[in-house]
Amino acid sequence: MASRQAARRVSHRHRVRPSKADGIDSSVVQRSGPASARSRGTSPIRTCVGCRVRAEAGELLRVVFVDGELALDLRRRAAGRGAWLHPDPRCLDIAERRRAFARALRVPGPLDVGALRSHLEQLVHRVAGPGSSRAGLDERKQVDPS
């Protein structure tokens, strides 16, 4: 018994993995992480570089650094690092003021967000424009389900 306890004493550098001998049933251990999120059908959680609010990736836009300038990656397929941003000009303003894109994308120096700002404004205008199906969503009447 004493030798078993001595064998379990391990320095802080070594990690002890639980086994069936420890009485842990691996079938009831709940795992967390990206694989579990995919199996439940939820999208990954990302953080907006502007407002620092966590949201599902579907609610955010991916920004990449391509050929020396920032660009929106609407298909989310561009190679390399990406920064996530709410489709809101205020979040872009905050990210620009905090110089968050250079840190998130791990590129040196201040980055010009002029082209990104124009693309974002076009995108926001197109989505919430007058001919859009999303126009007037806030003015809809609320229906009581009872």
Side-chain angles (χ1 to χ4, degrees):
M1 179 82 173
S3 64
R4 184 181 286 177
Q5 289 177 348
R8 288 188 183 220
R9 283 189 214 143
V10 179
S11 72
H12 67 281
R13 293 182 194 159
H14 300 287
R15 187 172 180 178
V16 177
R17 291 191 175 142
S19 65
K20 290 192 185 247
D22 294 326
I24 297 175
D25 184 10
S26 63
S27 65
V28 294
V29 175
Q30 292 186 4
R31 292 175 169 78
S32 63
S36 294
R38 279 192 294 264
S39 65
R40 287 191 307 264
T42 61
S43 70
I45 303 296
R46 301 289 184 246
T47 303
C48 174
V49 295
C51 64
R52 305 292 298 159
V53 173
R54 293 177 61 175
E56 290 187 1
E59 299 174 20
L60 300 171
L61 298 172
R62 185 170 187 254
V63 178
V64 293
F65 189 68
V66 179
D67 296 329
E69 60 183 50
L70 296 172
L72 285 177
D73 181 18
L74 297 176
R75 295 183 61 212
R76 299 176 183 177
R77 299 285 186 261
R81 280 197 166 273
W84 297 85
L85 182 73
H86 280 109
D88 185 357
R90 292 177 295 189
C91 286
L92 179 61
D93 293 337
I94 295 168
E96 181 181 18
R97 189 171 56 241
R98 292 179 54 239
R99 299 182 198 130
F101 287 114
R103 279 194 307 275
L105 299 172
R106 296 186 182 171
V107 293
L111 301 175
D112 182 31
V113 298
L116 178 64
R117 184 176 307 280
S118 65
H119 285 104
L120 181 65
E121 288 172 355
Q122 289 174 1
L123 182 69
V124 169
H125 180 67
R126 185 175 43 191
V127 170
S132 173
S133 62
R134 298 187 63 125
L137 285 179
D138 295 334
E139 292 100 26
R140 292 187 301 180
K141 291 184 178 179
Q142 296 293 320
V143 178
D144 185 20
S146 57

